[in-house]
């Protein structure tokens, strides 16, 4: 059965791949699984029909037969567990790749989201200029640690895994901030992720939604 995911009808990022359906699309492309997309307006996301799928009224969701999932990390893990290609075959390697998935979402993404929210929503506050460097320093700490661990390896733990897929997705949110450029190995790591054919297919598919909406 072809799974159906949800995505923004008109993404605020103008299809630059920053909304969280992108990581789900990328995972599906990595494992070669076709999928359908149901597009939602901001209003429709808050309707009871969608909240039955997603308690917080957000995207992405994932439906496949009787299964309905929300939370991009849980969806990527589900895809990775049911197909080959995103988790190592040995139990310890698998557990470590899953640890990197949690690290991306729990340890690296939160300070990045805090900065994004500050830049988008708090620019006019009198304390914004003082708060921003503090938020950026928190990100710098994490990036320094991650950069040290990655070293000159291609991926975080052996071959490309769902841990890398989520870590690259999270780091991509820093594009344009200059913070990633402070660590050439992390910039190269992100570029390696973006160069994967599956990433490109996923990116093009979500960009096409925005392009079509703008033309219509
Ligand atoms: N923890 C959840 C997950 O990982 O799935 C978070 C889901 C989430 O934040 N969804 C956002 C959403 O539905 C879209 S991704 N927001 C609408 C709402 O809450 O009403 C966050 C996002 C949105 C827009 C951009 N952008 O335009 O650049 C980037 C990221």
């Amino acid at each position: 059965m072809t799974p159906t995911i949800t995505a923004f009808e008109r993404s605020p990022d103008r299809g630059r791949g920053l909304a969280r359906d992108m990581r789900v699309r990328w995972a599906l492309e990595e494992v070669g699984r076709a999928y359908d997309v149901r597009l939602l307006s901001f209003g429709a996301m808050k309707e009871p029909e969608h909240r039955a799928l997603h308690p917080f009224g957000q995207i992405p969701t994932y439906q496949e037969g009787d299964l309905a999932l929300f939370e991009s990390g849980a969806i990527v893990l589900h895809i990775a567990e049911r197909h080959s290609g995103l988790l190592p075959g040995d139990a310890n390697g698998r557990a470590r790749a899953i640890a990197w998935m949690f690290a991306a979402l729990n340890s690296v993404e939160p300070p990045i989201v805090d900065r994004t929210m500050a830049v988008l929503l708090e620019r006019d506050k009198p304390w914004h200029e003082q708060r921003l460097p503090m938020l950026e320093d928190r990100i710098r700490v994490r990036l320094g640690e991650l950069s040290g661990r990655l070293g000159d390896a291609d991926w975080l733990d052996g071959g490309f895994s769902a841990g890398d897929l989520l870590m690259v997705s999270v780091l991509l949110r820093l594009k344009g901030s200059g913070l990633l450029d402070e660590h050439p190995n992390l910039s190269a790591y992100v570029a390696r992720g973006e160069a994967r054919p599956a990433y490109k297919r996923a990116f093009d598919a979500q960009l096409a939604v925005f392009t079509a909406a703008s033309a219509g």
Side-chain angles (χ1 to χ4, degrees):
M1 169 161 298
T2 305
T4 300
I5 67 167
T6 51
F8 284 135
E9 187 175 71
R10 195 178 275 262
S11 187
D13 73 344
R14 307 175 66 84
R16 285 185 299 128
L18 298 177
R20 287 182 175 92
D21 58 296
M22 177 61 200
R23 47 190 76 170
V24 175
R25 292 172 184 267
W26 185 7
L28 288 164
E29 291 288 353
E30 286 285 350
V31 302
R33 187 82 198 266
Y35 59 98
D36 293 324
V37 183
R38 195 157 48 80
L39 301 175
L40 293 170
S41 66
F42 279 90
M45 278 190 283
K46 306 303 174 197
E47 292 294 329
E49 190 185 346
H50 185 64
R51 282 194 192 273
L53 290 175
H54 197 308
F56 310 124
Q58 296 183 313
I59 58 101
T61 57
Y62 177 98
Q63 288 168 278
E64 185 186 14
D66 292 342
L67 176 68
L69 287 176
F70 62 101
E71 284 297 331
S72 58
I75 299 169
V76 171
L77 180 57
H78 171 76
I79 295 165
E81 281 185 325
R82 275 157 187 77
H83 303 83
S84 61
L86 284 174
L87 289 174
D90 68 297
N92 285 355
R94 231 175 152 79
R96 288 197 305 274
I98 294 170
W100 279 116
M101 295 176 71
F102 277 86
L105 302 180
N106 257 355
S107 299
V108 180
E109 190 165 45
I112 294 175
V113 170
D114 286 348
R115 178 188 177 278
T116 307
M117 299 307 271
V119 169
L120 289 178
L121 306 174
E122 297 170 357
R123 266 194 192 284
D124 57 340
K125 305 287 186 224
W127 34 262
H128 176 70
E129 293 301 320
Q130 284 163 296
R131 184 161 187 257
L132 191 60
M134 187 188 77
L135 295 176
E136 295 195 331
D137 281 347
R138 280 188 202 149
I139 297 174
R140 279 194 179 92
V141 170
R142 276 289 178 267
L143 294 186
E145 291 161 341
L146 189 63
S147 168
R149 173 55 88 99
L150 180 66
D152 58 8
D154 279 356
W155 306 113
L156 288 166
D157 190 343
F160 177 81
S161 78
D164 296 296
L165 186 150
L166 289 180
M167 192 64 81
V168 168
S169 300
V170 162
L171 295 177
L172 273 165
R173 301 185 72 162
L174 288 174
K175 261 198 172 174
S177 71
L179 290 163
L180 212 49
D181 309 316
E182 295 173 13
H183 299 281
N185 68 336
L186 291 185
S187 299
Y189 171 65
V190 169
R192 264 192 298 282
E194 289 179 289
R196 292 179 73 82
Y199 176 90
K200 289 183 183 169
R201 288 194 296 274
F203 184 92
D204 289 347
Q206 61 79 40
L207 178 61
V209 172
F210 184 81
T211 310
S214 306

